[in-house]
Each structure stands twice: as C-alpha cells, then as structure tokens.
Amino acid sequence: MSWDSAISDTFGVGKLALKIYQACDKASDDFQDTARLCLGIYVAVEQAQRSLPKPRSEASRVDRRNYASLATITSSCRTTLSLLEQRLRKYPSLGTAAPRTRDTIGYGLRTMMSDDLKDLQVQLNGQLQALNVFLVGLQGETLGGIVRRLDEITARMPSTLAGTDDTKSRAEIDSNLSSICEELAEHQAQSQVSSGSSGYAEASMKRALDEKRRKLQTTLDLHPDLCQSMRLLNAAEQSKLKPPGQTIHYSPKDEHLNSLPEGWQRITTSDASYQYQYLLTAKPIRTKIYTLEEPFGRTLDVDLDPLPEGWLESATSRGSYFYHPASGATQFERPSVTIVCDFEDHVVGFVSSTGLPLDLTDIPSLELARALYCDFGPPEVDIAASLPMGWYWSRDEAGRPLYTGPGIESTVHPAYFDPASRDTLSTGLRNGWEPRLDNWGQVFWVCHDQRMAQRTSPTRPEMQKT
C-alpha cells in the first residue's frame, strides 16, 4: 500500500465511524452506546488529522512513524466498524428506534444479539482508548519539538546578536520565534479539546451531570413499585460497594443461603465481571455484564463546545439542529464525547436498600429487581413449564418450592444442576447427601453423615469411586 493511500484509509475510518453513528443514534440503549463510541472514534481521528503535519512525500521519520502508528490503530477500528456495518446492512432496522421483528429474529435471539453487540462495543472501547493514548503522546511530541527548536534559536542568539549589523539573522530569529508562538498557541488549543474535563466549559460539565441525573431519576420514577427499594447511586458510594463472596458451609438444616429469587443466579463472566441469569425458561435470560469494582463505570456524555471541526449549528422555528456539510449528516442532539468523570457526586446508576447494584434500564436486571422487592413468592407458571420429564413440585411447610424427581427430593430446581449432575441424578443420591444453593444461586452439596460441604456432585462418576 502506498504512502498516500495508507493515509487516505486512515482518515476514511473517521467517516465510517460517523456513518455508523448516524445509523445507530436513534436506536435502543444498546445501539446508542455503540453510536457514542463511534462518534468518539470519529472525533479522535479528526483530532489526529488536525494534530499531525500535512502528509507529504518527504515527511520526516518521526512523522512517518506517527502515521504508521495511527494506521495500525485505525486498521483495527476499521475491522470492527466493518463488522458492525455488515450487521446493520443485513438487518437495517436493528439500528433504528423501531426494529422489525424479522430483523431481530434473523440476527438472533435477544441474548445472542446483546452478547454479540457487547463484544463489538468492548473492541470499539479499547480502540477509542488507544486513539486517546496516541493523541496524548502526539501532543507531548509536538511540545517537545517546539522546545527543541526554541533551544536551538536561544543557543544561536549570543553569536548573532554580537554582530549588530546582521539584520538578516535578526529577522530570521524573529520569524522563528513568531512561528513557535503560533505553534504553542495551537498546541494549547488542541490540548484543551483532548484533555478530559479541562477541554469542556464548566457549564457543559454541569449540564451533562444534571442531565444524566435527570434521566436516571426519570427511569426510577417510571417504576413506582421499586421506589421504596431502589435509589440513585453516585460514584463515591459505588467505590465503597463490597459484594459478598460465594459462601458454602455445612449446616444440619437447610439455611436457604440463596439471596436471589427462585430461578435466578449470579455467574462470573471473568475475574472482574459478573451477570445474573434466569434459568426457568427454554433458554436462560441474562442481564447486562457488571464489573466488580465499578458496576456502572464513571463515563459521562459531554456536549462538545465548541463543535467539532466541520459541524455547524442552525436555528429553526422548532429549535436548533446540527449538520455536517461534508457528510450530509444532520441531527438535533449536539455532538458529544464520552469521558471518564471523577466527580464523587456523579450519579452513575441504581442500588437497592440491601446494597445490590441493578441497572433498571436493562430489562432482565429490572425483572430481577421486581422479583426481589415486589413479586414475592415463586414463579409458579415458569416452574411448572420448566421441569424435566418425571419431575414435579410442591410446597414444604414454610411454603417454599420442593422438587421431586427420579431418586431425589430437593429444595433446588433441576435447572440449577450442571448437565453432568443432572444426567446421573436418576441413580439417586447416596444416603446423607443433599443439594443446596449458595448466596448467589450456585449449587453445592452437603453430607450430613460427614458434616461437610463441597461443590462437586456426589453423583459424578469420579465421586462414586471415593
């Protein structure tokens, strides 16, 4: 690939990101998250284009290295953006406010679509961070180059000034100093645009914080049945949340450790993240993925003020709108960028009265909150429909579900058992063994004879030999 074509491909990524942003901006929350990432990539690529010197065949080694680094990052961006564009082209209504049923089914079930989209979002987020790191380093190089030029001029000044008649040298120094002052002013302006909250007016930050609080409060108000159990969570409180670990231990009687409603459990998706799933359906329904340290993160969408290069604002009788003549894009929302906000009073999400963070904008998480704090009692219809052949259920003296199957009577629904355990349950448990659920809905086993607890089912073949 030639030098010119490589540069052209690099900046073409920004246009592709803007195109996908326009396609997704009016869609559901998941697609709007994708739209914001695409807009961030567009802004970052445009900023890189302004920061780098104009491409030329005799570019310096440093400039070529910087363009090569940018090309590597944007090449990865292009791959991810192209995958997203292919999905939107095949199922065009997915990125709109009213996706068609056939497109949703064609793309996959809700859980599959959500997971697929989250994978692309994770990639886009990593690529946007790489672009931001590149811009910070680029600004450092620019400032370093200015300082070196200033040192060179300063070193020449004594010998030049000694010859008072050398007006040509004096004029050259004045010209160079003037050029350096202009570069410093431009560098300072670019730094303000790219450096976190310092690039945004205080009023813009306050508006962004207030708008996020308002939206989250409106979401909570839409569910009055949860207002007594759920409240807004700010960044300072989130940093102090310490969810309990998974607990198993032997007890002579069932303590019903599981703190989640019937059919729910929390599963780990990585060393630093988790999600909840509901098992009493044909296919498990999963919530969004939460991180252990910051379940909601600390990102904030801030309106870009001034507007990014190429964007214009126009007023009509219905209010202002924004357009980008080069691409033909128009929108009523002011272009914004996503930043990490460290303000302690920054409202990030929701938390229950028991300290459990749950995102009420995520439908499965909302259903979990309702099951926890509103819909008390087991979901009878789901239980009856989800039991395997040969199983039935009743209630114990306390009104809790009791499940009976081939060779086993259990307080644990068979959907909780892993496939290996479920396949061998027909042989029955050895005397004294009983399944239970820990505080996050994961199965463990107790042996009353040996007064011990373990994760592995005693019906597993390797356990039968011991």
Side-chain angles (χ1 to χ4, degrees):
M1 182 182 294
S2 69
W3 169 246
D4 291 336
S5 62
I7 294 172
S8 176
D9 285 351
T10 293
F11 297 127
V13 169
K15 294 181 179 179
L16 178 59
L18 183 62
K19 178 182 176 181
I20 296 176
Y21 162 73
Q22 295 162 357
C24 296
D25 187 44
K26 303 297 182 184
S28 62
D29 289 345
D30 283 343
F31 278 95
Q32 285 184 8
D33 290 340
T34 304
R36 283 190 285 271
L37 289 170
C38 289
L39 182 60
I41 289 175
Y42 163 72
V43 172
V45 172
E46 290 292 305
Q47 179 67 27
Q49 188 173 13
R50 291 193 295 270
S51 301
L52 285 168
K54 187 176 180 179
R56 59 188 189 277
S57 58
E58 65 275 11
S60 68
R61 181 177 58 83
V62 173
D63 290 343
R64 285 181 173 271
R65 184 197 65 196
N66 285 334
Y67 270 110
S69 298
L70 181 60
T72 300
I73 299 172
T74 53
S75 175
S76 176
C77 290
R78 179 181 289 279
T79 300
T80 306
L81 291 170
S82 297
L83 288 173
L84 185 57
E85 185 184 34
Q86 289 172 12
R87 284 153 176 75
L88 292 174
R89 188 184 298 127
K90 188 174 182 180
Y91 309 103
S93 71
L94 287 182
T96 67
R100 296 177 181 175
T101 302
R102 66 182 182 184
D103 281 350
T104 303
I105 294 175
Y107 191 21
L109 297 175
R110 177 175 60 184
T111 302
M112 294 173 63
M113 183 174 68
S114 178
D115 289 346
D116 184 38
L117 194 59
K118 282 185 172 61
D119 288 342
L120 293 176
Q121 288 173 351
V122 169
Q123 294 177 42
L124 289 174
N125 186 55
Q127 290 151 1
L128 178 57
Q129 290 181 15
L131 282 169
N132 288 333
V133 170
F134 172 79
L135 286 173
V136 172
L138 192 62
Q139 291 170 7
E141 282 188 2
T142 302
L143 186 58
I146 293 173
V147 171
R148 285 192 296 272
R149 286 181 57 193
L150 189 58
D151 288 342
E152 291 174 2
I153 294 175
T154 304
R156 291 168 50 196
M157 286 181 69
S159 58
T160 303
L161 293 177
T164 55
D165 295 331
D166 195 351
T167 56
K168 183 177 180 180
S169 296
R170 287 174 176 270
E172 181 182 354
I173 290 176
D174 289 342
S175 175
N176 286 333
L177 286 174
S178 177
S179 174
I180 287 176
C181 288
E182 291 176 0
E183 290 183 31
L184 282 171
E186 182 180 357
H187 174 76
Q188 183 179 14
Q190 291 177 352
S191 297
Q192 289 179 345
V193 171
S194 306
S195 60
S197 61
S198 64
Y200 311 100
E202 183 178 348
S204 297
M205 288 290 291
K206 185 178 186 305
R207 280 197 304 270
L209 289 167
D210 291 344
E211 178 64 12
K212 186 170 183 180
R213 177 186 288 272
R214 184 191 66 78
K215 286 183 177 180
L216 292 177
Q217 183 62 56
T218 299
T219 299
L220 185 57
D221 292 342
L222 289 174
H223 309 290
D225 51 342
L226 290 173
C227 287
Q228 298 299 318
S229 305
M230 302 290 298
R231 62 177 178 81
L232 298 183
L233 173 71
N234 63 36
E237 295 172 316
Q238 177 176 243
S239 64
K240 298 176 183 177
L241 291 178
K242 295 187 181 299
Q246 291 180 312
T247 302
I248 68 169
H249 64 267
Y250 172 75
S251 173
K253 58 183 179 180
D254 191 348
E255 294 184 341
H256 293 275
L257 293 176
N258 190 17
S259 57
L260 300 178
E262 188 72 9
W264 288 89
Q265 67 177 180
R266 194 175 92 165
I267 57 174
T268 56
T269 54
S270 72
D271 292 339
S273 61
Y274 63 92
Q275 66 182 157
Y276 299 95
Q277 66 177 359
Y278 184 62
L279 298 171
L280 307 186
T281 52
K283 184 173 183 177
I285 297 173
R286 296 184 177 89
T287 68
K288 61 171 282 184
I289 295 177
Y290 298 88
T291 58
L292 289 171
E293 294 297 327
E294 293 183 343
F296 294 100
R298 291 178 288 113
T299 58
L300 181 68
D301 296 328
V302 181
D303 290 343
L304 290 173
D305 191 9
L307 291 171
E309 183 177 346
W311 281 89
L312 299 173
E313 182 177 2
S314 180
T316 68
S317 59
R318 296 185 179 182
S320 296
Y321 72 95
F322 305 89
Y323 65 99
H324 191 263
S327 64
T330 59
Q331 60 188 60
F332 285 102
E333 297 83 5
R334 189 180 190 90
S336 62
V337 65
T338 301
I339 66 169
V340 176
C341 178
D342 293 322
F343 295 163
E344 290 191 348
D345 59 348
H346 172 203
V347 175
V348 294
F350 310 90
V351 66
S352 73
S353 55
T354 58
L356 188 67
L358 287 172
D359 188 351
L360 301 184
T361 64
D362 175 61
I363 298 300
S365 297
L366 174 61
E367 292 302 314
L368 172 56
R370 284 177 170 157
L372 273 166
Y373 307 114
C374 303
D375 304 329
F376 301 108
E380 298 186 6
V381 174
D382 287 352
I383 290 176
S386 59
L387 286 173
M389 184 74 68
W391 285 76
Y392 65 92
W393 78 287
S394 58
R395 296 178 184 270
D396 62 14
E397 295 179 354
R400 295 170 297 203
L402 185 65
Y403 303 98
T404 304
I408 182 174
E409 184 176 82
S410 170
T411 58
V412 180
H413 190 288
Y416 285 96
F417 299 131
D418 66 78
S421 299
R422 198 181 307 166
D423 292 342
T424 56
L425 281 175
S426 59
T427 61
L429 291 172
R430 288 185 286 176
N431 290 336
W433 285 93
E434 179 187 358
R436 295 185 184 171
L437 295 176
D438 65 20
N439 52 323
W440 289 128
Q442 298 291 332
V443 178
F444 70 102
W445 308 81
V446 299
C447 178
H448 297 288
D449 295 339
Q450 301 179 40
R451 302 178 66 84
M452 51 87 72
Q454 64 185 41
R455 286 287 184 190
T456 307
S457 168
T459 61
R460 294 284 292 270
E462 61 269 26
M463 295 299 299
Q464 296 282 358
K465 299 175 182 179
T466 60

